[in-house]
Amino acid sequence: MKLAIPDMISNSYFPALAAAELGCFRREGIEVEAGLIFPVDRCYQALRDGEVDFVAGAAHGALAAFPEWRGVRLLGALAQGMYWFLVMHADLGIARGDLGALRGRRIGAAPWVEMGLRRLLAAAGLDLRRDDIKIGPVPGTTGRGTVGTTVNFGLTAAQALENREIDGFWANGMGTEIAVSRGVGSVVLDVRRGDGPKGCFDYTMGVLATTDRLVEQQPETAAAATRALVAAQGLLKSDLSRATEAAAKRFPPRETGLIAGIVERDLPYYDPAIRPESIAAVNDFARWLSLLDDDVPYEQIVATRFSNLWHAG
């Protein structure tokens, strides 16, 4: 079976990658191979078209391929909360939380990921046109990938920032760590840890998703995948060296050396539960973006038949 991940060399979807690389899926009786498909909407399109069996991606991204959530089910959360960072070039001297200083700046963000930043800035009273804030692709990431593509957004964004091709980026913790450790970037927003306008934490979250078809026709496989995710989160919580072990199989040496420290900061958010209030918030976010018309019930979005497995371990 195949698992699509939109940003491989990253902490964003790492519990799903760890489940594959540390044998959690295999121990549950299913063979799952993780592959990179960029960007996230392409992941969900591949899921819809039967090219892959699971997606580890942003929850709202499912609406790119499954209008009104029809045909997709969320099995569990990779971690709680919107997980991207706003990083601006250190030379700009922008203080933490100073969104007003973004006027006239160029910010790189991946397709569908950028939606979180747009909504956040609007909630903070900024207008992209009026305030001349340009949010767009990062140079080198504009190709739309297939399984095996080499686009890793956070790494590319960090390099583009260093090259002064952009003034900042909205991306994952790995790109953030690289930019900050090199002295070229400074964190302006870390939503998970309290930055940004009220409610932005709940705009979206990382999830493990599959199709209604698989849930109905192969419920034992869907249950096994859910248990594998929970097991991977447990392994990472109990022994951070397992993060390095999992990354060593897929990451370059520099990023392999960084991942344990990044995952350690994420551990408080490693909770597989997808709660009704979280889905209500994602739906509100999606409606603001005109991605969703109806107020789709929680039970039609989340595979609640497996919710007892979220904390079974």
Side-chain angles (χ1 to χ4, degrees):
M1 308 192 84
K2 294 182 178 179
L3 164 69
I5 299 177
D7 204 358
M8 184 73 72
I9 305 173
S10 167
N11 60 309
S12 297
Y13 315 107
F14 194 76
L17 178 63
E21 299 301 329
L22 298 178
C24 298
F25 287 114
R26 188 176 306 112
R27 284 190 288 276
E28 293 295 337
I30 53 176
E31 292 290 335
V32 175
E33 177 186 0
L36 175 64
I37 302 181
F38 175 86
V40 69
D41 57 324
R42 177 69 186 92
C43 284
Y44 282 108
Q45 289 161 10
L47 180 66
R48 177 198 62 199
D49 297 342
E51 298 171 18
V52 302
D53 305 283
F54 302 101
V55 166
H60 75 284
L63 294 165
F66 299 95
E68 305 299 310
W69 298 102
R70 290 189 296 269
V72 68
R73 285 297 175 98
L74 309 185
L75 296 174
L78 304 177
Q80 301 292 310
M82 188 165 67
Y83 43 91
W84 301 299
F85 295 76
L86 178 61
V87 176
M88 301 300 292
H89 202 287
D91 288 354
L92 298 174
I94 299 176
R96 184 83 168 244
D98 184 6
L99 299 182
L102 301 181
R103 294 182 175 90
R105 301 301 179 187
R106 303 162 298 158
I107 302 171
W112 287 76
V113 171
E114 50 82 23
M115 294 174 179
L117 180 59
R118 290 179 187 275
R119 177 68 182 108
L120 185 155
L121 294 180
L126 292 168
D127 180 275
L128 299 187
R129 185 183 297 275
R130 180 196 68 210
D131 296 315
D132 190 27
I133 302 172
K134 297 178 176 64
I135 302 174
V138 167
T141 67
T142 54
R144 299 184 65 79
T146 57
V147 174
T149 184
T150 57
V151 174
N152 281 283
F153 186 86
L155 305 190
T156 307
Q159 189 60 57
L161 185 68
E162 186 168 358
N163 295 343
R164 301 305 295 259
E165 296 174 293
I166 51 178
D167 297 315
F169 62 74
W170 172 249
N172 63 57
M174 179 63 76
T176 298
E177 181 71 20
I178 290 170
V180 171
S181 64
R182 286 182 172 179
V184 299
S186 59
V187 175
V188 174
L189 283 182
D190 179 351
V191 168
R192 267 190 178 155
R193 295 158 187 90
D195 295 342
K198 182 180 179 181
C200 63
F201 178 92
D202 293 310
Y203 288 170
T204 193
M205 64 198 310
V207 295
L208 181 66
T210 191
T211 59
D212 274 350
R213 182 177 61 254
L214 188 143
V215 167
E216 295 304 321
Q217 297 178 2
Q218 303 179 62
E220 69 287 351
T221 299
T226 306
R227 288 194 298 267
L229 168 61
V230 174
Q233 290 172 328
L235 287 175
L236 295 170
K237 286 179 178 179
S238 63
D239 183 358
L240 276 171
S241 71
R242 304 307 298 272
T244 304
E245 178 186 345
K249 302 179 181 182
R250 304 299 292 264
F251 288 17
R254 176 187 62 177
E255 288 74 21
T256 298
L258 293 173
I259 191 63
I262 299 171
V263 166
E264 184 176 22
R265 294 196 292 269
D266 286 347
L267 290 181
Y269 306 97
Y270 276 14
D271 177 352
I274 302 178
R275 298 174 176 86
E277 56 268 29
S278 297
I279 291 299
V282 174
N283 281 343
D284 284 345
F285 172 60
R287 280 192 292 271
W288 185 87
L289 293 162
S290 299
L291 299 174
L292 184 67
D293 294 325
D294 298 329
D295 188 11
V296 181
Y298 172 80
E299 294 78 9
Q300 294 180 25
I301 299 170
V302 177
T304 54
R305 65 195 295 181
F306 309 122
S307 62
N308 63 305
L309 302 176
W310 290 335
H311 299 297

